[in-house]
């Protein structure tokens, strides 16, 4: 009996040892796991925060680039709008230029047709007509006492206040009548008494004689009120010095109402020097003049400059193969 109890006690003690060791191992494992796990979580949290910071920095950079790109896009849109506007303007100008070109082509075709008709009419002149034309040329082409054999004509017009205010409409009629007796010349020029050109782009050149150009001259004359000192001397000397040519027949027409210069003799001598005689003894530049009686509507003591103009023009036209016409009033 005593032996049996001892064996049972030894068996129970060993079982308890195993059980305690197992529990101890479990507790040890739990302690190890509990100690290491917080460190892993903390490191993971640090890594995630750094990643978030990197991503936020990239986000800010992308937002900045987006702002710059949007600003560039708006600038490009504005440039595109400007280009479209310029294209529209250029297209309008192109259309206008094409329209003018078509008008010029139509006018050119019309001129060609007129030229052909004139050529046909010239060929159809009868022998009697040719004989009459030859007789007219032999009579020095005198119309109303004024020789009209010139190939080039220059108008020198007094643009002073007195002329523009009182005699301008009559002057326009006289100029138009003068042009009518020259149906076709090789060149025209228009200056005022100061030597200023009506068309500055034709300075020192002849204006081509066409019906359209004559119409433009008459239109511009209606409002051509430039400065004038009421003395035709500057315009005459400018015209003779610039356009004198021994090989051309030129006529100057002076339209004015007064002469305010100092010496009539000095003007006459100056023109004699620059308007030299040709081989046939005649001056190549004829000088004609039309006097408008503006000064004679003033009191007698203020008519001196008008009388001096008539005296000067009579002498100049006599010495230079022309004619002086003094008007009595402003009626047509």
């Amino acid at each position: 009996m005593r032996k049996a109890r001892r064996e049972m006690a030894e068996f129970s003690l060993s079982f308890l040892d195993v059980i305690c060791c197992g529990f101890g191992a479990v507790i040890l494992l739990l302690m190890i796991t509990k100690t290491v796990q917080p460190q892993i979580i903390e490191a993971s949290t640090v890594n995630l925060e750094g990643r978030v910071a990197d991503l936020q920095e990239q986000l800010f950079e992308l937002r900045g680039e987006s702002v710059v790109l949007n600003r560039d896009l708006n600038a490009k849109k504005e440039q595109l709008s400007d280009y479209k506007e310029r294209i529209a303007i250029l297209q309008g100008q192109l259309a206008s230029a094409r329209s003018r070109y078509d008008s010029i082509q139509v006018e050119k075709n019309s001129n060609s047709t007129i030229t052909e008709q004139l050529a046909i009419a010239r060929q159809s002149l009868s022998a009697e007509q040719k004989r009459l034309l030859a007789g007219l040329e032999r009579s020095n082409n005198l119309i109303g006492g004024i020789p009209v054999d010139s190939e080039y004509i220059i108008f020198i017009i007094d643009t002073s206040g007195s002329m523009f205010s009182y005699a301008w409409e009559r002057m326009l009629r006289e100029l138009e009548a003068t042009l009518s007796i020259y149906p076709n010349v090789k060149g025209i020029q228009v200056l005022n008494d100061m030597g200023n050109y009506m068309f500055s782009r034709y300075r020192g050149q002849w204006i081509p004689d066409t019906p359209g150009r004559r119409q433009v001259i008459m239109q511009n004359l209606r409002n051509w009120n430039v400065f004038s000192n009421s003395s035709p001397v500057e315009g005459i000397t400018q015209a003779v010095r610039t356009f004198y040519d021994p090989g051309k027949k030129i006529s100057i027409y002076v339209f004015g109402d007064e002469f305010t210069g100092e010496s009539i003799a000095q003007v006459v001598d100056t023109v004699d020097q620059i308007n030299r005689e040709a081989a046939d003894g005649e001056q190549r530049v004829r000088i004609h003049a039309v006097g408008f009686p503006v000064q004679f509507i003033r009191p007698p003591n203020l008519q001196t400059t008008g009388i001096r103009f008539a005296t000067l023009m009579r002498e100049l036209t006599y010495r230079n193969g022309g004619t002086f016409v003094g008007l009595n009033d402003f009626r047509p």
Side-chain angles (χ1 to χ4, degrees), residues 117-134:
Q117 293 175 351
L118 289 175
I120 295 173
R122 182 177 297 176
Q123 293 175 358
S124 64
L125 286 174
S126 64
E128 179 64 18
Q129 288 172 322
K130 292 180 180 179
R131 185 185 65 80
L132 292 174
L133 287 175

Side-chain angles (χ1 to χ4, degrees), residues 84-147:
K84 288 182 179 179
E85 184 177 356
R86 291 178 60 185
I87 289 173
I89 294 173
L90 291 174
Q91 287 177 342
Q93 293 177 351
L94 177 61
S96 178
R98 286 177 175 172
S99 177
R100 291 196 300 269
Y101 175 78
D102 293 340
S103 300
I104 292 173
Q105 290 298 111
V106 171
E107 183 178 356
K108 182 178 179 181
N109 294 335
S110 300
N111 291 338
S112 299
T113 303
I114 294 173
T115 302
E116 293 176 359
Q117 293 175 351
L118 289 175
I120 295 173
R122 182 177 297 176
Q123 293 175 358
S124 64
L125 286 174
S126 64
E128 179 64 18
Q129 288 172 322
K130 292 180 180 179
R131 185 185 65 80
L132 292 174
L133 287 175
L136 182 61
E137 291 178 355
R138 286 194 298 270
S139 65
N140 200 25
N141 291 335
L142 291 173
I143 296 181
I146 300 177

Side-chain angles (χ1 to χ4, degrees), residues 199-272:
F199 302 101
S200 58
R201 67 191 183 99
Y202 283 105
R203 179 181 299 275
Q205 305 176 34
W206 290 106
I207 301 172
D209 180 23
T210 64
R213 180 57 59 183
R214 291 190 177 201
Q215 185 177 2
V216 170
I217 290 173
M218 296 303 301
Q219 290 175 352
N220 286 9
L221 271 176
R222 292 197 171 275
N223 299 304
W224 195 41
N225 187 19
V226 296
F227 173 75
S228 163
N229 63 355
S230 294
S231 172
V233 175
E234 295 87 348
I236 295 173
T237 54
Q238 169 89 350
V240 175
R241 286 195 175 102
T242 303
F243 295 99
Y244 173 83
D245 188 338
K248 296 178 180 178
K249 293 183 177 180
I250 303 172
S251 283
I252 293 176
Y253 284 84
V254 181
F255 293 164
D257 65 335
E258 58 181 333
F259 170 57
T260 59
E262 296 180 358
S263 173
I264 293 177
Q266 183 179 0
V267 176
V268 173
D269 293 340
T270 301
V271 176
D272 286 344

Side-chain angles (χ1 to χ4, degrees), residues 4-18:
R5 287 179 179 177
R6 184 179 297 177
E7 289 177 358
M8 185 176 295
E10 290 177 357
F11 174 79
S12 298
L13 182 62
S14 298
F15 179 77
L16 291 172
D17 291 338
V18 172

